[in-house]
Amino acid sequence: MSEDLTQLVETVRKIHSLLELLAEEKIAERDAKQRATLRQIVGTSPTRQKSVFLMDGAHTQKQIRTKTSVNQGHLSTMVGKMHKANLLASDTMTPKLAISIPPNFFETHE
C-alpha cells in the first residue's frame, strides 16, 4: 500500500507542475506587483537569487546560507524586507515564499 501511495503522490506532483506551467501567465498577472517587489528586494546577486528558490519553508536561514554561500547579513536583511512586504507565508527563521515563481524568474525581465 505504501508503494501505491508514493506513486500517487508522485503523479499528483507531476500534474501540479504541469498545471503551474499552463497557468504561469495568469499567475504572473495576478502576482505582478509582488513579483516586482521581490525582484527589487533581491536584486541581481546570483547568490541572493539562488537563496530565494530555497525559501520553501523546509530550509532554515542557516541551511540556505550553507547551500548558497550568501552573506549572513544580506540574507537576514533580505528576509526581513520580504517579510515586511508580505512576500513570506511563514516565519523568518524558515522562510517560505507567499507567491510562486518559475525557475527562470530572475532570468526574465518583466
Side-chain angles (χ1 to χ4, degrees), residues 10-94:
E10 184 179 322
T11 302
V12 169
R13 285 186 177 143
K14 286 179 183 179
I15 292 169
H16 180 266
S17 295
L18 289 172
L19 288 174
E20 278 186 322
L21 285 174
L22 293 172
E24 175 52 32
E25 188 175 321
K26 293 294 182 188
I27 292 170
E29 286 176 24
R30 181 194 69 194
D31 296 342
K33 186 176 179 180
Q34 290 176 304
R35 286 181 174 200
T37 302
L38 179 62
R39 276 196 172 88
Q40 181 183 6
I41 291 170
V42 176
T44 58
S45 166
T47 54
R48 290 184 200 176
Q49 292 173 353
K50 287 179 191 175
S51 68
V52 170
F53 290 106
L54 293 175
M55 294 182 187
D56 58 3
H59 297 90
T60 63
Q61 283 194 40
K62 183 177 181 177
Q63 291 170 328
I64 293 170
R65 284 194 316 271
T66 301
K67 291 183 179 194
T68 64
S69 300
V70 67
N71 178 283
Q72 179 179 354
H74 292 161
L75 180 63
S76 180
T77 300
M78 183 175 69
V79 168
K81 288 179 180 180
M82 290 169 66
H83 182 69
K84 188 174 181 180
N86 294 318
L87 292 172
L88 297 180
S90 65
D91 64 67
T92 58
M93 296 306 293
T94 54

